Amino acid sequence: MEQGREKRYDVLDGLRGVAAISVMLTHFSQNTPHSLFKHADLAVDLFFMLSGFVLMHSYRNKLLLGLSAREYIRKRIIRLYPMFAISMAIGIPALLAVAAAGLSNYPLRSIIAATLNNLLFMPYLGDHGTANMVSAAAQLPVEKYTVGEIFPANPSAWSLFFEMVASVALLVLIRLQRRDLIKVIVGSAILLFATGVLLGVENKGAIPVFFGAGWGTRNFFAGFIRVAYGFTMGVLIYSLHENRTPLKFGKAISVVLRNDIVLYLLFAVATAFPFGIKGLFPMAVIFFVAPLMVYRGADIEPSGQFSAKLAHFLGWMSYPVYCLHFPIGRLVFLYFPDSEQHPTQAIALAVALTVAVSIIATKLIEEPVRAYLTRKFASRKRVNLKTEPVV
């Protein structure tokens, strides 16, 4: 999570890995009788906060000391795009297979248009739908399709678009005073709550306050508010951490979150919590729990050698797992015999394939490609890819 001899935030790496796993499991279990990690969409808000923290740590001083905006954006594209491209190489055939099985109402021309948009890292604002994580034999009615995914071939990639938007915003945020950062956070928090209420009304009150915006055409623009709050909060948390600013309840937080394992378990429990409490639970996590976890996680060291290795592995795996799990899961559930009758086996296979493909793709394709692109376009210096910021 750092470069050179800068401080490593191993526990934040591990936390990001736990969050990515929760997202994977909730997607794989979304059409089963017992959905896992009901609130895993909160992981995206955590990702945005971690992104603000990590990019401040990795690039703030470099940008202030002369790293050009062009060079910085180039580095961010090189970091994010290769694995995204691998995911699209799997996701495009998977979407075509789902459409051929009659589980999508995307016409071919729309798939082509969406693909061209997405390959340019841009959203596709359409109104077609797809049945996700179901078998080819399923007879799912159209009204149960997921409609308007802005990255149809890899729906999870929607947050990567907003990551790039936030990366550009960092060029401005690094020059703001703390009081101005707080103003941005408060303003975006108010807007996030207001849009959550409006989206709840649109959902006919099923979820009175809906915070899971950004992934689809109908809630796309709310994604800018969501990332504005999360990313700027991460920037502020880094500022507080760097200046060793004590929090009012800092001692109590350190007692509750006493080590890395407790931190991981708490976030896993938060995402697995089965009740939304009329939107109050996700609101509490977004506005209070997640920021405190990032703040505390930055101060915690791994509790042992094994914990350090686990944190490093979870962090290293987090981005490929997040990128690759959805298209791989689509294919597994599409072709797994009786995936509706045997969802546990299908989930286990999808998880195993995701992990295996993530390791192979990272080692054999993504890291060599990034090394080449970095040498060619981003820097003449040798770069340790394992320490490049992942979010």
Side-chain angles (χ1 to χ4, degrees), residues 75-351:
K75 286 176 179 289
R76 295 303 295 142
I77 293 173
I78 290 173
R79 180 63 190 97
L80 294 176
Y81 196 84
M83 185 56 70
F84 166 73
I86 294 170
S87 77
M88 291 294 287
I90 303 171
I92 294 167
L95 180 59
L96 290 170
V98 170
L103 293 169
S104 171
N105 58 14
Y106 275 89
L108 181 59
R109 64 180 180 276
S110 294
I111 293 177
I112 293 172
T115 298
L116 293 176
N117 271 31
N118 292 168
L119 287 175
L120 294 174
F121 235 16
M122 297 298 293
Y124 172 74
L125 302 181
D127 59 356
H128 303 292
T130 304
N132 292 316
M133 309 304 166
V134 295
S135 74
Q139 300 295 321
L140 203 66
V142 174
E143 56 267 23
K144 290 192 175 182
Y145 287 3
T146 304
V147 177
E149 293 163 326
I150 62 175
F151 280 77
N154 185 7
S156 296
W158 71 268
S159 66
L160 303 184
F161 166 76
F162 290 104
E163 286 283 356
M164 281 305 304
V165 171
S167 294
V168 175
L170 184 72
L171 297 169
V172 176
L173 294 175
I174 59 172
R175 291 173 169 81
L176 293 184
Q177 297 295 320
R178 185 180 295 178
R179 63 178 180 274
D180 297 318
L181 282 174
I182 293 174
K183 289 178 182 178
V184 174
I185 290 170
V186 172
S188 57
I190 293 171
L191 289 173
L192 185 60
F193 177 77
T195 55
V197 171
L198 293 174
L199 289 169
V201 171
E202 185 177 317
N203 289 329
K204 299 180 180 180
I207 304 176
V209 186
F210 178 74
F211 292 103
W215 60 267
T217 300
R218 294 180 180 178
N219 56 51
F220 168 67
F221 290 103
F224 290 99
I225 301 171
R226 189 177 180 183
V227 72
Y229 167 76
F231 187 83
T232 310
M233 177 61 80
V235 171
L236 176 64
I237 293 169
Y238 180 78
S239 175
L240 296 174
H241 170 77
E242 184 184 38
N243 293 294
R244 311 308 301 173
T245 304
L247 296 184
K248 187 174 182 180
F249 303 104
K251 290 185 178 179
I253 295 167
S254 63
V255 170
V256 175
L257 300 175
R258 59 184 182 274
N259 59 42
D260 49 347
I261 304 302
V262 173
L263 188 73
Y264 302 157
L265 288 175
L266 179 62
F267 188 77
V269 169
T271 54
F273 191 70
F275 308 109
I277 316 177
K278 303 294 184 180
L280 293 177
F281 178 76
M283 183 167 63
V285 174
I286 292 170
F287 292 143
F288 300 104
V289 177
L292 291 175
M293 292 182 75
V294 176
Y295 182 87
R296 176 62 180 148
D299 282 331
I300 298 175
E301 296 293 336
S303 52
Q305 187 174 5
F306 174 78
S307 294
K309 291 181 179 179
L310 175 64
H312 176 74
F313 179 73
L314 288 172
W316 181 75
M317 286 287 292
S318 62
Y319 186 52
V321 164
Y322 184 80
C323 275
L324 299 177
H325 77 273
F326 208 105
I328 291 173
R330 263 183 177 166
L331 289 172
V332 168
F333 276 84
L334 187 65
Y335 293 118
F336 189 87
D338 298 322
S339 60
E340 280 77 22
Q341 300 299 320
H342 305 284
T344 302
Q345 291 90 325
I347 291 172
L349 178 60
V351 169

